[in-house]
Amino acid sequence: MTETRKRNAPPRTAPPAPHTARAAVPPLAPGALPGLGHAAALLRDPLGFLGSLSRYGGVVRIRLGPRTVCVVTDASLVHTLLVALAYDCPRGAVQDTLKTAFGDGLLMSEGQAHRDRRRVVQPAFGPDRMAEYVAVMHQVTEERAGRWRPGQVLDVAKEMNHLALEIVTRSLFDARLSEDATLAFHRALPDMVKGQIVQSLYPHPALARLPLPVNRRFDAAVRVLNRVVDQAVSGRPTDARSTDAPAAGGTGSTGRGGTLPALLRAATDPATGRPLTEADVRSEAITMFGAGTETVSTTLTWLLDELLRHPEVEARVLAELDEHLPAGAVPTPEALARLTYTRSVTQEVVRLHAPNAFLMRTAQVPVELGPYRIPARTELLYSLTALHRDPHRYPEPLRFRPERWQGGGGAGRQSFLPFGAGKHKCIGEAFAWAELTVAAAAILRRWRPVAVPGARAREVVWTTVQAHGLRVRLDPRDARPPRPDGPPADRAAVQAPPAGRCPVRVPDLTPAPTPSRTARRPGELHTAALRHADWAVGRGLLAPAELPGYRAYALHELIGHAFPRTRGADLDLLVDMLGWFTILDDRFDGPPGHRPAEARAVVDPLIAVLHGAAGGRPDASGPTGLPTGDPHGIPTPGPDGRLLAAWRDLWERQTQGMSPQWCARAAREWQACLETFPTEAGHRARGTVPALGLPETMRLRRHSSCLYPFTNILERVHGADAPAALHAEPALHRLRANTADAATLINDLYSLEREERQSAAAFNTVLTLQRIRGCTRSRAVAAVRARVARLRRENDALRSDLRRRHPAGRWYLDGTRELVEGVQAWTSTSDRYLVTDRPRR
């Protein structure tokens, strides 16, 4: 490999741009440590550190030991660096380390040598080859997925590594690696990547030659990779098992001509006219193995992880495949071009999980980069991952939103650089996009991955952002899905709550919930609860020690009963909303519940978040018209600040894509709900709770239960507003009020004993009836039960009339019934109102 001759064009000698007043030295990032500089911060949290630098400027200096490196944080400046300044700023220290492994081939060469080599390799990735490659990609994935078994738990990252390596080997080399060679390749790759980043941080290149453990592992990994590539290129077996594999190299086992090694061996060096050497062939081969396996396999892993988190996206992908790529058909480039939504999904995965944590260039001459003056010999570093998570160019950067790429969307070519730009842009870009789509389609058509609890993908950052830890259980795609999250509770269970949960029996409130018309995946509700716990702890709303008691409330089950057809991101939103409101409600069990000024201080900032939505469609600053807070989701310190930061997130998620009319209605009804907290605190402070009459108690309870906002959410999860004519009906307003009252009264029955034991005076309809009528507990309970029965009968009549006159709104009318049934089913089983000797949260 070291025999490859490298011809670099000398740096251009054009006179530098004249210095102007705007050219300035990039600012130095704060926080440098003596001797280490920013190296500790970079190693401890690479993405967080690099992402934080944009606040200081488009180019920011950092210190890595004795070295000073300029980090380019602005995407347009990175594009300038890669295109306009490509000759003046060749590759830097991180990539230089790879010369030991990849030689001076296409990946590492510069200037005329790079142009010559690219001209030789380019035909292997021409449009005329893609149909053949796509067919091989499909065959390889079908073969591998066909070896999986129902119920098997799959280590996704490991399996995608093997799949990507096999696709590269079969499509570009028409070869098959032995089992031992495949395993050796995957074991060696991490040591090479780790060695690459460590050696790039050495203050002097000589340290890479010392017999340090990291250097020895790096050298051993390079030797393994060379042996594996030699097997693929020359067909020479590298272990005993390889004799069972078809021969590699040449025209390959299938006799298919035009492989990459054959193409290279038939080419001549444009500079000398002589054929390429075997070292040249191996250099390009190892480049394709290195660049075409880890990044693609990592992206496939993130793709499957995101589809698990967003089943509604997976459903749209499958529907598009059914329409444009019939089952059993071999994909073609033309068919792939019709999968526009699937392409948006893969683009969003690549944006959110850009595999290149950081890359480097070196300024060989003084250059100006935007307003900044960069001296000669300065190292320039940039992170594609950080650039693609820039909130200024990608709103809600950490949210998975494929729709941002539809209709010509996205933040522009200069902001989306997963394959680089300019003369060094990845030659295999079209190959990689096709591979992602073909592999995902073949897997999803055959298998339905189900997340293993506690085994989701997590970021591990070296020079690439790897996905570790994702494990899934495989269910056949054509198998009939089981009932969602277990069968609904039977009538007896709904009617007779366990002893200790409620002091009264409610035998005739509601029938069992209607089964879902669209089955929710098994375990999907439980998985949503796990994600909600992560969200609540990550937002600082709960401490980890509080989770066991909080989980006993089983809030996700209330959402599951009340919204039986909701899945994916909408399901997460509803569980997060209910959890947030429950934590807010518990906040008023303490001092704010007795002190109106404290209650107002908690509530007013929450209401302020709503103000921008009432006047029309959300603007660029967020659905509320107000700043959306820290783009990385870091909550404001203090319990009230954390509630506020979480509320901003929830309000933005609620209103995303909704009509101005819906946003205005939701804002009004959330405000009415939130205003009840200071009102109740005022009554407690004045001692007027015992004297509060039934109408005032009912008004407070109707709005404080948040049933109105959750009724609005029926439209959010349905994906459209209810018909305007239906909203104009007085009968609908009566139906909504009855729905809120019925659910609130059921809640009052089950929460009665718990609320009696609280120090704060409770707003409970049963207690109010006992007080104003002077009746016994049993008579008050009977009166509340009778009221619920009357409300249900009246609602049935209202729904029947409204369905007849507004059949297009049937889904909304049915949803009001399911809300009440869901509250009944949940209150009879949740520990939220369980009375214990010790007070709960």
Side-chain angles (χ1 to χ4, degrees):
M1 293 175 60
T2 57
E3 295 174 5
T4 304
R5 186 171 54 82
K6 174 181 176 184
R7 283 201 328 148
N8 275 351
R12 289 181 294 167
T13 57
H19 292 293
T20 64
R22 68 182 181 90
V25 176
L28 179 67
L33 299 176
L36 293 176
H38 300 90
L42 180 63
L43 291 172
R44 181 172 60 249
D45 181 13
L47 298 183
F49 174 69
L50 294 174
S52 71
L53 296 178
S54 61
R55 71 187 69 173
Y56 305 113
V59 180
V60 181
R61 286 179 297 139
I62 64 172
R63 300 194 191 283
L64 301 178
R67 297 156 55 190
T68 297
V69 175
C70 284
V71 180
V72 188
T73 68
D74 181 83
S76 62
L77 295 183
V78 171
H79 190 271
T80 299
L81 175 67
L82 299 181
V83 179
L85 299 178
Y87 290 97
D88 293 336
C89 300
R91 299 177 186 276
V94 174
Q95 289 93 319
D96 285 347
T97 308
L98 292 179
K99 289 182 180 179
T100 307
F102 292 161
D104 290 329
L106 181 66
L107 187 66
M108 298 311 307
S109 58
E110 293 285 350
Q112 185 63 44
H114 175 81
R115 287 195 296 273
D116 291 345
R117 187 58 56 84
R118 191 178 184 97
R119 208 172 289 128
V120 169
V121 177
Q122 185 67 57
F125 295 94
D128 58 316
R129 304 297 304 274
M130 288 308 299
E132 186 178 10
Y133 290 154
V134 166
V136 175
M137 294 169 186
H138 175 72
Q139 181 182 356
V140 170
T141 310
E142 285 287 345
E143 290 174 1
R144 189 154 202 97
R147 295 196 289 270
W148 302 340
R149 293 292 175 261
Q152 177 182 349
V153 174
L154 206 67
D155 183 330
V156 178
K158 179 180 178 181
E159 197 66 22
M160 294 305 103
N161 278 335
H162 285 270
L163 174 62
L165 179 62
E166 191 171 357
I167 286 176
V168 168
T169 307
R170 296 265 295 274
S171 58
L172 294 180
F173 297 89
D174 196 18
R176 293 177 186 264
L177 293 177
S178 69
E179 180 182 347
D180 281 354
T182 299
L183 293 174
F185 181 90
H186 291 302
R187 281 196 295 262
L189 204 57
D191 286 335
M192 192 196 74
V193 172
K194 293 174 185 177
Q196 174 194 5
I197 188 171
V198 172
Q199 291 187 10
S200 69
L201 295 175
Y202 284 155
H204 193 281
L207 292 176
R209 296 192 291 272
L210 296 178
L212 302 174
V214 66
N215 294 340
R216 290 201 303 270
R217 287 192 294 269
F218 178 81
D219 293 340
V222 171
R223 288 193 295 272
V224 169
L225 293 177
N226 273 285
R227 284 199 300 270
V228 172
V229 170
D230 184 70
Q231 178 185 338
V233 170
S234 65
R236 290 195 296 270
T238 60
D239 56 72
R241 297 186 216 183
S242 64
T243 56
D244 295 331
T251 59
S253 58
T254 65
R256 178 165 61 86
T259 64
L260 181 63
L263 182 71
L264 294 171
R265 290 183 176 116
T268 57
D269 187 333
T272 65
R274 291 195 294 268
L276 298 182
T277 67
E278 282 301 303
D280 293 331
V281 174
R282 282 194 296 272
S283 292
E284 300 308 335
I286 201 168
T287 295
M288 299 307 163
F289 272 93
T293 53
E294 186 193 16
T295 54
V296 172
S297 66
T298 297
T299 304
L300 278 171
T301 303
W302 284 121
L303 174 60
L304 292 178
D305 185 73
E306 292 294 352
L307 293 180
L308 286 170
R309 296 178 188 274
H310 302 87
E312 75 286 355
V313 174
E314 180 192 57
R316 286 190 62 180
V317 168
L318 287 168
E320 187 175 67
L321 292 175
D322 289 339
E323 180 180 359
H324 297 296
L325 192 62
V330 176
T332 64
E334 294 74 23
L336 298 184
R338 293 192 291 269
L339 302 177
T340 55
Y341 182 74
T342 304
R343 177 59 178 258
S344 296
V345 171
T346 55
Q347 283 180 294
E348 181 67 350
V349 172
V350 171
R351 180 202 67 82
L352 182 56
H353 303 289
N356 297 109
F358 51 87
L359 299 165
M360 297 186 76
R361 295 289 186 268
T362 300
Q364 291 188 338
V365 296
V367 296
E368 287 190 5
L369 194 54
Y372 303 102
R373 185 172 63 253
I374 309 297
R377 296 184 297 280
T378 299
E379 293 178 292
L380 296 137
L381 181 149
Y382 61 97
S383 168
L384 294 183
T385 314
L387 292 174
H388 291 173
R389 295 179 181 181
D390 182 354
H392 299 293
R393 295 181 180 269
Y394 297 97
E396 303 177 283
L398 298 183
R399 284 191 63 191
F400 182 72
R401 291 176 48 203
E403 63 272 13
R404 75 171 85 235
W405 298 99
Q406 294 180 281
R413 185 169 61 180
Q414 293 188 6
S415 297
F416 188 57
L417 304 167
F419 296 93
K423 68 188 184 73
H424 282 290
K425 188 175 184 180
C426 177
I427 199 171
E429 178 179 4
F431 185 97
W433 285 122
E435 183 178 358
L436 291 172
T437 304
V438 171
I443 292 169
L444 294 174
R445 273 278 175 69
R446 185 184 289 260
W447 297 104
R448 179 185 292 109
V450 178
V452 174
R456 303 309 296 265
R458 66 183 188 279
E459 289 184 341
V460 176
V461 183
W462 289 98
T463 52
T464 57
V465 184
Q466 300 167 14
H468 286 197
L470 178 62
R471 292 187 297 132
V472 300
R473 189 183 72 251
L474 296 171
D475 287 345
R477 177 64 66 179
D478 56 357
R480 186 171 181 171
R483 295 177 68 100
D485 302 296
D490 60 27
R491 187 182 184 109
V494 172
Q495 293 175 344
R501 294 189 185 276
C502 181
V504 294
R505 289 175 64 83
V506 191
D508 57 356
L509 288 179
T510 55
T514 303
S516 166
R517 290 193 293 270
T518 302
R520 190 180 283 130
R521 280 184 176 183
E524 186 174 352
L525 199 57
H526 174 69
T527 303
L530 296 177
R531 289 198 294 267
H532 167 66
D534 292 341
W535 179 84
V537 172
R539 286 279 175 180
L541 302 177
L542 292 171
E546 296 175 295
L547 278 178
Y550 177 78
R551 283 175 171 149
Y553 296 166
L555 298 175
H556 63 289
E557 293 182 3
L558 171 53
I559 296 301
H561 288 303
F563 299 88
R565 284 167 295 284
T566 304
R567 302 181 61 191
D570 287 332
L571 181 62
D572 287 341
L573 171 63
L574 292 178
V575 177
D576 288 347
M577 282 173 56
L578 183 60
W580 175 87
F581 186 81
T582 301
I583 294 167
L584 174 70
D585 185 60
D586 285 354
R587 180 93 171 85
F588 290 92
D589 290 344
H594 303 267
R595 303 168 185 168
E598 289 190 23
R600 180 59 63 187
V602 174
V603 166
D604 280 353
L606 304 175
I607 294 174
V609 172
L610 305 168
H611 287 330
R617 188 174 299 277
D619 61 25
S621 60
T624 66
L626 300 173
T628 56
D630 186 276
H632 301 288
I634 301 172
T636 308
D640 298 341
R642 290 190 286 267
L643 281 166
L644 175 60
W647 176 237
R648 286 195 186 105
D649 171 59
L650 290 172
W651 181 243
E652 187 174 359
R653 288 158 62 188
Q654 287 177 69
T655 54
Q656 183 68 41
M658 299 303 293
S659 69
Q661 294 78 14
W662 187 93
C663 293
R665 185 168 61 251
R668 287 194 303 270
E669 294 182 353
W670 269 117
Q671 179 163 352
C673 171
L674 295 170
E675 289 281 7
T676 61
F677 289 110
T679 301
E680 291 179 352
H683 281 299
R684 293 190 186 101
R686 295 189 300 271
T688 54
V689 178
L692 204 63
L694 185 60
E696 179 66 7
T697 299
M698 285 299 301
R699 186 189 69 79
L700 282 173
R701 297 292 294 125
R702 176 184 297 165
H703 288 286
S704 67
S705 63
C706 77
L707 259 295
Y708 271 118
F710 271 88
T711 303
N712 284 332
I713 288 292
L714 288 168
E715 296 169 276
R716 173 70 176 82
V717 300
H718 184 72
D721 289 11
L726 178 61
H727 271 300
E729 287 277 4
L732 182 69
H733 295 272
R734 183 65 180 169
L735 175 65
R736 284 162 54 90
N738 287 355
T739 298
D741 286 350
T744 298
L745 292 173
I746 294 170
N747 185 279
D748 282 355
L749 289 169
Y750 281 86
S751 64
L752 178 58
E753 186 175 350
R754 179 180 185 266
E755 291 178 340
E756 278 188 307
R757 297 195 180 192
Q758 292 177 348
S759 58
F763 294 86
N764 186 291
T765 314
V766 176
L767 297 178
T768 301
L769 280 174
Q770 280 188 265
R771 185 171 60 251
I772 65 174
R773 294 185 181 179
C775 62
T776 62
R777 171 65 58 83
S778 61
R779 286 182 180 273
V781 167
V784 171
R785 289 171 52 201
R787 174 63 175 161
V788 172
R790 286 196 300 273
L791 290 170
R792 292 189 65 250
R793 288 194 297 271
E794 183 177 348
N795 277 2
D796 286 343
L798 289 169
R799 272 189 290 265
S800 178
D801 177 58
L802 290 169
R803 282 194 201 103
R804 178 178 56 80
R805 291 186 288 115
H806 303 280
R810 182 185 182 97
W811 58 269
Y812 183 87
L813 301 170
D814 289 345
T816 62
R817 185 193 70 251
E818 290 167 345
L819 272 172
V820 177
E821 293 172 351
V823 170
Q824 168 63 48
W826 174 75
T827 50
S828 66
T829 57
S830 172
D831 280 359
R832 169 71 173 165
Y833 304 121
L834 184 64
V835 176
T836 62
D837 294 333
R838 293 181 300 175
R840 302 184 71 95
R841 263 189 47 82

